PDB file of all heavy atoms in Angstrom:
ATOM      1  N   ASP A 298     -40.913 -22.117 -24.212  1.00  0.00           N
ATOM      2  CA  ASP A 298     -40.608 -23.049 -23.147  1.00  0.00           C
ATOM      3  C   ASP A 298     -39.050 -22.994 -22.989  1.00  0.00           C
ATOM      4  O   ASP A 298     -38.520 -23.113 -21.981  1.00  0.00           O
ATOM      5  CB  ASP A 298     -41.240 -24.432 -23.429  1.00  0.00           C
ATOM      6  CG  ASP A 298     -42.586 -24.536 -23.060  1.00  0.00           C
ATOM      7  OD1 ASP A 298     -43.105 -23.671 -22.257  1.00  0.00           O
ATOM      8  OD2 ASP A 298     -43.266 -25.534 -23.553  1.00  0.00           O
ATOM      9  N   ALA A 299     -38.437 -23.062 -24.173  1.00  0.00           N
ATOM     10  CA  ALA A 299     -36.948 -23.158 -24.133  1.00  0.00           C
ATOM     11  C   ALA A 299     -36.344 -21.977 -23.558  1.00  0.00           C
ATOM     12  O   ALA A 299     -35.281 -22.076 -22.842  1.00  0.00           O
ATOM     13  CB  ALA A 299     -36.466 -23.442 -25.539  1.00  0.00           C
ATOM     14  N   GLN A 300     -36.933 -20.863 -23.792  1.00  0.00           N
ATOM     15  CA  GLN A 300     -36.378 -19.566 -23.328  1.00  0.00           C
ATOM     16  C   GLN A 300     -36.807 -19.095 -21.987  1.00  0.00           C
ATOM     17  O   GLN A 300     -36.151 -18.572 -21.148  1.00  0.00           O
ATOM     18  CB  GLN A 300     -36.653 -18.386 -24.214  1.00  0.00           C
ATOM     19  CG  GLN A 300     -36.072 -18.627 -25.595  1.00  0.00           C
ATOM     20  CD  GLN A 300     -36.615 -17.506 -26.644  1.00  0.00           C
ATOM     21  OE1 GLN A 300     -36.946 -16.427 -26.239  1.00  0.00           O
ATOM     22  NE2 GLN A 300     -36.638 -17.883 -27.853  1.00  0.00           N
ATOM     23  N   ARG A 301     -38.124 -19.480 -21.609  1.00  0.00           N
ATOM     24  CA  ARG A 301     -38.695 -19.055 -20.347  1.00  0.00           C
ATOM     25  C   ARG A 301     -39.060 -19.989 -19.393  1.00  0.00           C
ATOM     26  O   ARG A 301     -39.306 -19.715 -18.170  1.00  0.00           O
ATOM     27  CB  ARG A 301     -39.951 -18.125 -20.702  1.00  0.00           C
ATOM     28  CG  ARG A 301     -39.690 -16.926 -21.649  1.00  0.00           C
ATOM     29  CD  ARG A 301     -41.125 -16.305 -21.963  1.00  0.00           C
ATOM     30  NE  ARG A 301     -40.876 -15.123 -22.894  1.00  0.00           N
ATOM     31  CZ  ARG A 301     -40.809 -15.191 -24.166  1.00  0.00           C
ATOM     32  NH1 ARG A 301     -40.816 -16.370 -24.717  1.00  0.00           N
ATOM     33  NH2 ARG A 301     -40.650 -14.110 -24.882  1.00  0.00           N
ATOM     34  N   GLY A 302     -39.244 -21.209 -19.782  1.00  0.00           N
ATOM     35  CA  GLY A 302     -39.676 -22.218 -18.868  1.00  0.00           C
ATOM     36  C   GLY A 302     -41.248 -22.137 -18.682  1.00  0.00           C
ATOM     37  O   GLY A 302     -41.907 -21.569 -19.505  1.00  0.00           O
ATOM     38  N   ALA A 303     -41.771 -22.633 -17.636  1.00  0.00           N
ATOM     39  CA  ALA A 303     -43.253 -22.586 -17.411  1.00  0.00           C
ATOM     40  C   ALA A 303     -43.594 -21.242 -16.929  1.00  0.00           C
ATOM     41  O   ALA A 303     -43.436 -20.844 -15.750  1.00  0.00           O
ATOM     42  CB  ALA A 303     -43.619 -23.638 -16.338  1.00  0.00           C
ATOM     43  N   THR A 304     -44.151 -20.386 -17.806  1.00  0.00           N
ATOM     44  CA  THR A 304     -44.482 -19.020 -17.534  1.00  0.00           C
ATOM     45  C   THR A 304     -45.892 -18.829 -17.899  1.00  0.00           C
ATOM     46  O   THR A 304     -46.492 -19.567 -18.561  1.00  0.00           O
ATOM     47  CB  THR A 304     -43.671 -18.076 -18.339  1.00  0.00           C
ATOM     48  OG1 THR A 304     -43.851 -18.158 -19.744  1.00  0.00           O
ATOM     49  CG2 THR A 304     -42.147 -18.178 -18.085  1.00  0.00           C
ATOM     50  N   GLU A 305     -46.451 -17.697 -17.448  1.00  0.00           N
ATOM     51  CA  GLU A 305     -47.839 -17.375 -17.887  1.00  0.00           C
ATOM     52  C   GLU A 305     -47.949 -17.203 -19.370  1.00  0.00           C
ATOM     53  O   GLU A 305     -48.910 -17.538 -19.995  1.00  0.00           O
ATOM     54  CB  GLU A 305     -48.268 -15.958 -17.097  1.00  0.00           C
ATOM     55  CG  GLU A 305     -49.623 -15.649 -17.427  1.00  0.00           C
ATOM     56  CD  GLU A 305     -50.041 -14.334 -16.643  1.00  0.00           C
ATOM     57  OE1 GLU A 305     -49.143 -13.725 -15.987  1.00  0.00           O
ATOM     58  OE2 GLU A 305     -51.162 -13.860 -16.851  1.00  0.00           O
ATOM     59  N   TYR A 306     -46.946 -16.693 -20.076  1.00  0.00           N
ATOM     60  CA  TYR A 306     -46.983 -16.496 -21.424  1.00  0.00           C
ATOM     61  C   TYR A 306     -47.129 -17.876 -22.129  1.00  0.00           C
ATOM     62  O   TYR A 306     -47.927 -17.992 -23.052  1.00  0.00           O
ATOM     63  CB  TYR A 306     -45.620 -15.814 -21.886  1.00  0.00           C
ATOM     64  CG  TYR A 306     -45.500 -15.532 -23.423  1.00  0.00           C
ATOM     65  CD1 TYR A 306     -46.377 -14.645 -24.124  1.00  0.00           C
ATOM     66  CD2 TYR A 306     -44.652 -16.354 -24.094  1.00  0.00           C
ATOM     67  CE1 TYR A 306     -46.275 -14.536 -25.419  1.00  0.00           C
ATOM     68  CE2 TYR A 306     -44.529 -16.250 -25.476  1.00  0.00           C
ATOM     69  CZ  TYR A 306     -45.320 -15.290 -26.109  1.00  0.00           C
ATOM     70  OH  TYR A 306     -45.254 -15.177 -27.436  1.00  0.00           O
ATOM     71  N   SER A 307     -46.319 -18.754 -21.712  1.00  0.00           N
ATOM     72  CA  SER A 307     -46.356 -20.131 -22.329  1.00  0.00           C
ATOM     73  C   SER A 307     -47.739 -20.813 -21.982  1.00  0.00           C
ATOM     74  O   SER A 307     -48.196 -21.687 -22.783  1.00  0.00           O
ATOM     75  CB  SER A 307     -45.224 -21.068 -21.870  1.00  0.00           C
ATOM     76  OG  SER A 307     -45.239 -21.218 -20.461  1.00  0.00           O
ATOM     77  N   ASP A 308     -48.359 -20.488 -20.878  1.00  0.00           N
ATOM     78  CA  ASP A 308     -49.709 -21.071 -20.533  1.00  0.00           C
ATOM     79  C   ASP A 308     -50.672 -20.502 -21.587  1.00  0.00           C
ATOM     80  O   ASP A 308     -51.579 -21.263 -21.944  1.00  0.00           O
ATOM     81  CB  ASP A 308     -50.095 -20.639 -19.104  1.00  0.00           C
ATOM     82  CG  ASP A 308     -49.286 -21.400 -18.053  1.00  0.00           C
ATOM     83  OD1 ASP A 308     -48.634 -22.505 -18.402  1.00  0.00           O
ATOM     84  OD2 ASP A 308     -49.268 -20.981 -16.907  1.00  0.00           O
ATOM     85  N   VAL A 309     -50.520 -19.228 -21.849  1.00  0.00           N
ATOM     86  CA  VAL A 309     -51.375 -18.584 -22.859  1.00  0.00           C
ATOM     87  C   VAL A 309     -51.358 -19.380 -24.291  1.00  0.00           C
ATOM     88  O   VAL A 309     -52.321 -19.724 -24.841  1.00  0.00           O
ATOM     89  CB  VAL A 309     -51.203 -17.131 -23.064  1.00  0.00           C
ATOM     90  CG1 VAL A 309     -51.950 -16.566 -24.184  1.00  0.00           C
ATOM     91  CG2 VAL A 309     -51.663 -16.477 -21.748  1.00  0.00           C
ATOM     92  N   LEU A 310     -50.102 -19.584 -24.662  1.00  0.00           N
ATOM     93  CA  LEU A 310     -49.859 -20.331 -25.895  1.00  0.00           C
ATOM     94  C   LEU A 310     -50.315 -21.658 -25.841  1.00  0.00           C
ATOM     95  O   LEU A 310     -50.906 -22.263 -26.877  1.00  0.00           O
ATOM     96  CB  LEU A 310     -48.336 -20.191 -26.257  1.00  0.00           C
ATOM     97  CG  LEU A 310     -47.811 -18.884 -26.684  1.00  0.00           C
ATOM     98  CD1 LEU A 310     -46.354 -18.976 -26.900  1.00  0.00           C
ATOM     99  CD2 LEU A 310     -48.521 -18.527 -27.882  1.00  0.00           C
ATOM    100  N   GLU A 311     -50.229 -22.347 -24.686  1.00  0.00           N
ATOM    101  CA  GLU A 311     -50.727 -23.707 -24.571  1.00  0.00           C
ATOM    102  C   GLU A 311     -52.316 -23.697 -24.774  1.00  0.00           C
ATOM    103  O   GLU A 311     -52.856 -24.636 -25.435  1.00  0.00           O
ATOM    104  CB  GLU A 311     -50.400 -24.337 -23.198  1.00  0.00           C
ATOM    105  CG  GLU A 311     -50.796 -25.712 -22.965  1.00  0.00           C
ATOM    106  CD  GLU A 311     -50.157 -26.619 -24.014  1.00  0.00           C
ATOM    107  OE1 GLU A 311     -48.926 -26.615 -24.038  1.00  0.00           O
ATOM    108  OE2 GLU A 311     -50.829 -27.405 -24.670  1.00  0.00           O
ATOM    109  N   THR A 312     -52.924 -22.703 -24.289  1.00  0.00           N
ATOM    110  CA  THR A 312     -54.469 -22.574 -24.461  1.00  0.00           C
ATOM    111  C   THR A 312     -54.716 -22.376 -25.845  1.00  0.00           C
ATOM    112  O   THR A 312     -55.626 -23.014 -26.474  1.00  0.00           O
ATOM    113  CB  THR A 312     -54.965 -21.413 -23.633  1.00  0.00           C
ATOM    114  OG1 THR A 312     -54.700 -21.608 -22.233  1.00  0.00           O
ATOM    115  CG2 THR A 312     -56.505 -21.338 -23.846  1.00  0.00           C
ATOM    116  N   ILE A 313     -54.026 -21.530 -26.550  1.00  0.00           N
ATOM    117  CA  ILE A 313     -54.185 -21.391 -28.033  1.00  0.00           C
ATOM    118  C   ILE A 313     -53.933 -22.607 -28.878  1.00  0.00           C
ATOM    119  O   ILE A 313     -54.660 -22.993 -29.769  1.00  0.00           O
ATOM    120  CB  ILE A 313     -53.391 -20.206 -28.555  1.00  0.00           C
ATOM    121  CG1 ILE A 313     -53.755 -18.871 -27.887  1.00  0.00           C
ATOM    122  CG2 ILE A 313     -53.394 -20.058 -30.092  1.00  0.00           C
ATOM    123  CD1 ILE A 313     -52.896 -17.631 -28.237  1.00  0.00           C
ATOM    124  N   ARG A 314     -52.879 -23.366 -28.364  1.00  0.00           N
ATOM    125  CA  ARG A 314     -52.649 -24.623 -29.037  1.00  0.00           C
ATOM    126  C   ARG A 314     -53.839 -25.523 -28.974  1.00  0.00           C
ATOM    127  O   ARG A 314     -54.110 -26.424 -29.840  1.00  0.00           O
ATOM    128  CB  ARG A 314     -51.350 -25.267 -28.570  1.00  0.00           C
ATOM    129  CG  ARG A 314     -51.009 -26.557 -29.292  1.00  0.00           C
ATOM    130  CD  ARG A 314     -49.584 -26.969 -29.210  1.00  0.00           C
ATOM    131  NE  ARG A 314     -49.056 -27.297 -27.947  1.00  0.00           N
ATOM    132  CZ  ARG A 314     -47.845 -27.677 -27.657  1.00  0.00           C
ATOM    133  NH1 ARG A 314     -46.979 -27.784 -28.713  1.00  0.00           N
ATOM    134  NH2 ARG A 314     -47.450 -27.930 -26.460  1.00  0.00           N
ATOM    135  N   MET A 315     -54.408 -25.669 -27.777  1.00  0.00           N
ATOM    136  CA  MET A 315     -55.501 -26.535 -27.497  1.00  0.00           C
ATOM    137  C   MET A 315     -56.665 -26.163 -28.437  1.00  0.00           C
ATOM    138  O   MET A 315     -57.382 -27.029 -29.054  1.00  0.00           O
ATOM    139  CB  MET A 315     -56.002 -26.422 -26.183  1.00  0.00           C
ATOM    140  CG  MET A 315     -55.034 -27.096 -25.062  1.00  0.00           C
ATOM    141  SD  MET A 315     -55.467 -26.736 -23.403  1.00  0.00           S
ATOM    142  CE  MET A 315     -57.052 -27.710 -23.272  1.00  0.00           C
ATOM    143  N   PHE A 316     -56.892 -24.908 -28.561  1.00  0.00           N
ATOM    144  CA  PHE A 316     -57.940 -24.366 -29.528  1.00  0.00           C
ATOM    145  C   PHE A 316     -57.610 -24.811 -30.922  1.00  0.00           C
ATOM    146  O   PHE A 316     -58.453 -25.206 -31.676  1.00  0.00           O
ATOM    147  CB  PHE A 316     -58.165 -22.855 -29.509  1.00  0.00           C
ATOM    148  CG  PHE A 316     -58.920 -22.423 -28.211  1.00  0.00           C
ATOM    149  CD1 PHE A 316     -58.539 -21.379 -27.528  1.00  0.00           C
ATOM    150  CD2 PHE A 316     -60.092 -22.940 -27.925  1.00  0.00           C
ATOM    151  CE1 PHE A 316     -59.153 -20.934 -26.419  1.00  0.00           C
ATOM    152  CE2 PHE A 316     -60.937 -22.604 -26.782  1.00  0.00           C
ATOM    153  CZ  PHE A 316     -60.385 -21.531 -26.059  1.00  0.00           C
ATOM    154  N   ALA A 317     -56.401 -24.663 -31.366  1.00  0.00           N
ATOM    155  CA  ALA A 317     -55.940 -24.879 -32.669  1.00  0.00           C
ATOM    156  C   ALA A 317     -56.155 -26.390 -33.116  1.00  0.00           C
ATOM    157  O   ALA A 317     -56.366 -26.777 -34.235  1.00  0.00           O
ATOM    158  CB  ALA A 317     -54.529 -24.492 -32.930  1.00  0.00           C
ATOM    159  N   HIS A 318     -55.954 -27.343 -32.064  1.00  0.00           N
ATOM    160  CA  HIS A 318     -56.215 -28.678 -32.304  1.00  0.00           C
ATOM    161  C   HIS A 318     -57.527 -29.264 -32.020  1.00  0.00           C
ATOM    162  O   HIS A 318     -57.744 -30.471 -32.012  1.00  0.00           O
ATOM    163  CB  HIS A 318     -55.151 -29.485 -31.399  1.00  0.00           C
ATOM    164  CG  HIS A 318     -53.662 -29.432 -31.940  1.00  0.00           C
ATOM    165  ND1 HIS A 318     -53.126 -30.269 -32.823  1.00  0.00           N
ATOM    166  CD2 HIS A 318     -52.736 -28.417 -31.793  1.00  0.00           C
ATOM    167  CE1 HIS A 318     -51.918 -29.880 -33.159  1.00  0.00           C
ATOM    168  NE2 HIS A 318     -51.615 -28.791 -32.417  1.00  0.00           N
ATOM    169  N   ASP A 319     -58.452 -28.319 -31.679  1.00  0.00           N
ATOM    170  CA  ASP A 319     -59.754 -28.735 -31.303  1.00  0.00           C
ATOM    171  C   ASP A 319     -60.559 -29.186 -32.664  1.00  0.00           C
ATOM    172  O   ASP A 319     -60.782 -28.396 -33.605  1.00  0.00           O
ATOM    173  CB  ASP A 319     -60.599 -27.530 -30.748  1.00  0.00           C
ATOM    174  CG  ASP A 319     -62.043 -27.841 -30.402  1.00  0.00           C
ATOM    175  OD1 ASP A 319     -62.208 -28.736 -29.499  1.00  0.00           O
ATOM    176  OD2 ASP A 319     -62.933 -27.264 -31.010  1.00  0.00           O
ATOM    177  N   LYS A 320     -60.971 -30.379 -32.534  1.00  0.00           N
ATOM    178  CA  LYS A 320     -61.713 -31.002 -33.757  1.00  0.00           C
ATOM    179  C   LYS A 320     -63.037 -30.318 -34.029  1.00  0.00           C
ATOM    180  O   LYS A 320     -63.404 -30.181 -35.217  1.00  0.00           O
ATOM    181  CB  LYS A 320     -61.846 -32.407 -33.635  1.00  0.00           C
ATOM    182  CG  LYS A 320     -60.539 -33.224 -33.515  1.00  0.00           C
ATOM    183  CD  LYS A 320     -60.780 -34.747 -33.411  1.00  0.00           C
ATOM    184  CE  LYS A 320     -59.413 -35.468 -33.400  1.00  0.00           C
ATOM    185  NZ  LYS A 320     -59.739 -36.985 -33.228  1.00  0.00           N
ATOM    186  N   GLY A 321     -63.761 -29.963 -32.904  1.00  0.00           N
ATOM    187  CA  GLY A 321     -65.077 -29.357 -33.144  1.00  0.00           C
ATOM    188  C   GLY A 321     -64.894 -28.111 -33.918  1.00  0.00           C
ATOM    189  O   GLY A 321     -65.767 -27.744 -34.806  1.00  0.00           O
TER     190      GLY A 321
END
Side-chain angles (χ1 to χ4, degrees):
D298 281 340
Q300 296 174 26
R301 302 176 177 84
T304 65
E305 183 179 358
Y306 178 71
S307 60
D308 288 344
V309 170
L310 287 177
E311 183 61 51
T312 301
I313 293 177
R314 177 154 70 176
M315 291 173 62
F316 282 133
H318 287 268
D319 180 62
K320 293 182 179 179

